[in-house]
Amino acid sequence: MSGYTIAVVGATGAVGTKMIEMLESTSLPIQQVKLLASKRSAGKKLQFNNTELVVEETTAEAFEGVDIALFSAGGSISKQFAPEAVKKGAIVIDNTSAYRMDPEVPLVVPEVNAEAVKNHKGIIANPNCSTIQMMVALQPIREKYGLNRIIVSTYQAVSGAGAAAVDEMKEQAQQMLNNEAYEAAILPSGGDKKHYPISFNVLPQIDLFTEGGYTYEEWKMINETKKIMSDEDIKISATCVRVPVISGHSESIYIEVLDKSASVSGIQDLLRTAPGVSLQDDPTVQLYPTPLAAEGKKETFVGRIRKDIDEETGYHMWVVSDNLLKGAAWNSVQIAETLHELNLVTEK
Ligand code: A2P
């Protein structure tokens, strides 16, 4: 076998650059990698496995000969070009929210619902970063004890809003430390009227506000969880918050299980061997996950597991993962690996 031709759309972005990194260490047989971005980046050179690759403009023609296309250039680019890539015979793995809730499109976290890739009709969606790490941590608990309710509060890193948002945070921090005037133009949402500084701050808004006083990011967590878990009835609510962290989303998660025989040690035992999970839970030696320590790692880290004070079936936990890796690039490449393992990719 000579290997696949894989395109990365949005190759110059925060997630795209990590996709390239993840492709360098994948078990997938790769013949060629095509790096695509906007016209502005055409001609720019990036490294893949110590080889210099030239970035091309994203056009319909660029997908000629592509077997798998990883998209992370924003929802509108996915809407425009994913169907073109599929027409040219590629399987699209889309990291944007463009197709996630489309009933025709599988929404996949390989540790949870790998088999769903078999139903794809050309496009497979990568869930929202905050949803992915929560699914990885909760699936083993759900399988063993059943899950009735989830209440999650997130502490999300700025890299989730793109490379430009990280640059703005760093600039603000420098200006604030120098007692200089600072500007905020990106967060909490590029599409909203007001902008607030993220440096030395915490913003209880990710994306725009919509129904019921919730933001789109919060609805993504709610709706995507129901779709991935194939459970419309699960009770779930979310509060999504941006914090001045570069990489690594943290989540405080409260769950209510169905099985009264569950226990903290039972949950710890499950998570100790669960796929994609690393248990870091020992308050006696201050062992718990932090975003800085999770940066660059593929696992979802879980700690601070404890029983609710009042609710017999309630548990709290702290879940951290690198939002650019498991939350995006790594999950996308893992989906590609799943497709390969299930013999679902035909080489051109
Ligand atoms: P470019 O660098 O050429 O603008 P981030 O999430 O870090 O903001 O990155 C967004 C990614 O999406 C970048 O790779 C960016 O490329 C890409 N992108 C933005 N606009 C387009 C477009 N019109 N066509 C293709 N890629 C785009």
Side-chain angles (χ1 to χ4, degrees):
M1 171 189 269
S2 49
Y4 304 127
T5 296
I6 301 186
V8 177
V9 184
T12 51
V15 172
T17 48
K18 296 292 175 186
M19 284 173 163
I20 300 169
E21 235 177 86
M22 292 298 104
L23 287 174
E24 287 180 336
S25 60
T26 178
S27 58
L28 284 172
I30 299 180
Q31 191 195 40
Q32 196 200 344
V33 169
K34 287 186 91 168
L35 305 182
L36 306 176
S38 78
K39 204 174 179 171
R40 296 178 294 275
S41 301
K44 193 173 168 181
K45 293 184 177 94
L46 293 174
Q47 293 279 326
F48 174 71
N49 275 342
N50 298 320
T51 314
E52 212 164 63
L53 297 182
V54 180
V55 177
E56 296 171 47
E57 182 184 353
T58 310
T59 60
E61 295 68 44
F63 296 100
E64 205 68 64
V66 170
D67 300 304
I68 300 172
L70 308 176
F71 274 70
S72 196
S76 59
I77 300 301
S78 293
K79 283 275 183 206
Q80 190 181 349
F81 289 108
E84 300 291 342
V86 174
K87 264 191 229 159
K88 298 252 183 312
I91 302 178
V92 168
I93 300 169
D94 183 31
N95 187 51
T96 75
S97 60
Y99 297 98
R100 285 182 192 146
M101 294 315 294
D102 184 331
E104 298 283 290
V105 174
L107 184 63
V108 177
V109 180
E111 289 86 346
V112 181
N113 62 341
E115 294 284 308
V117 297
K118 290 180 178 166
N119 305 324
H120 86 83
K121 297 186 172 58
I123 303 176
I124 297 167
N126 200 63
N128 177 263
C129 41
S130 315
T131 313
I132 295 177
Q133 67 185 67
M134 183 166 81
M135 293 301 93
V136 172
L138 296 188
Q139 176 66 7
I141 303 170
R142 176 173 173 254
E143 270 175 3
K144 172 106 195 240
Y145 299 120
L147 214 48
N148 182 36
R149 176 187 283 275
I150 306 169
I151 299 173
V152 55
S153 296
T154 69
Y155 304 67
Q156 294 181 225
V158 175
S159 57
V166 174
D167 291 342
E168 183 174 276
M169 173 171 70
K170 288 178 178 171
E171 237 167 80
Q172 284 167 355
Q174 203 58 61
Q175 286 160 337
M176 287 179 183
L177 290 169
N178 293 344
N179 282 321
E180 291 166 9
Y182 53 85
E183 275 183 32
I186 300 176
L187 296 172
S189 165
D192 217 339
K193 290 178 236 32
K194 276 193 192 170
H195 295 107
Y196 298 105
I198 183 64
S199 280
F200 303 103
N201 208 1
V202 165
L203 305 177
Q205 179 191 352
I206 299 184
D207 210 330
L208 301 171
F209 283 100
T210 177
E211 275 168 73
Y214 287 78
T215 61
Y216 280 103
E217 184 81 354
E218 288 157 354
W219 276 114
K220 281 179 211 167
M221 288 196 81
I222 295 162
N223 293 328
E224 291 178 20
T225 294
K226 292 179 185 227
K227 180 169 175 177
I228 297 162
M229 292 189 155
S230 303
D231 184 357
E232 271 305 310
D233 298 327
I234 194 161
K235 294 176 195 160
I236 167 162
S237 191
T239 303
C240 292
V241 178
R242 189 79 68 189
V243 294
V245 165
I246 294 179
S247 274
H249 287 353
S250 306
E251 297 175 348
S252 166
I253 304 178
Y254 169 74
I255 55 169
E256 283 170 18
V257 298
L258 295 172
D259 186 343
K260 287 187 179 164
S261 75
S263 63
V264 169
S265 61
I267 292 174
Q268 285 171 329
D269 286 345
L270 281 178
L271 295 180
R272 208 168 272 122
T273 54
V277 176
S278 175
L279 185 73
Q280 294 185 330
D281 193 12
D282 188 353
T284 63
V285 290
Q286 290 176 283
L287 179 66
Y288 42 74
T290 66
L292 212 48
E295 198 176 341
K297 310 233 167 67
K298 291 173 180 168
E299 298 97 322
T300 295
F301 298 90
V302 186
R304 299 289 327 271
I305 301 170
R306 61 211 188 277
K307 207 169 189 317
D308 188 67
I309 307 290
D310 303 300
E311 174 56 50
E312 195 187 352
T313 58
Y315 293 87
H316 299 264
M317 65 193 71
W318 179 246
V319 176
V320 179
S321 193
D322 188 324
N323 56 304
L324 298 179
L325 296 188
K326 185 55 187 165
W330 169 232
N331 198 69
S332 292
V333 171
Q334 243 185 334
I335 292 172
E337 288 181 356
T338 308
L339 286 167
H340 171 67
E341 282 154 22
L342 295 171
N343 279 321
L344 293 173
V345 198
T346 2
E347 253 180 76
K348 289 195 196 68

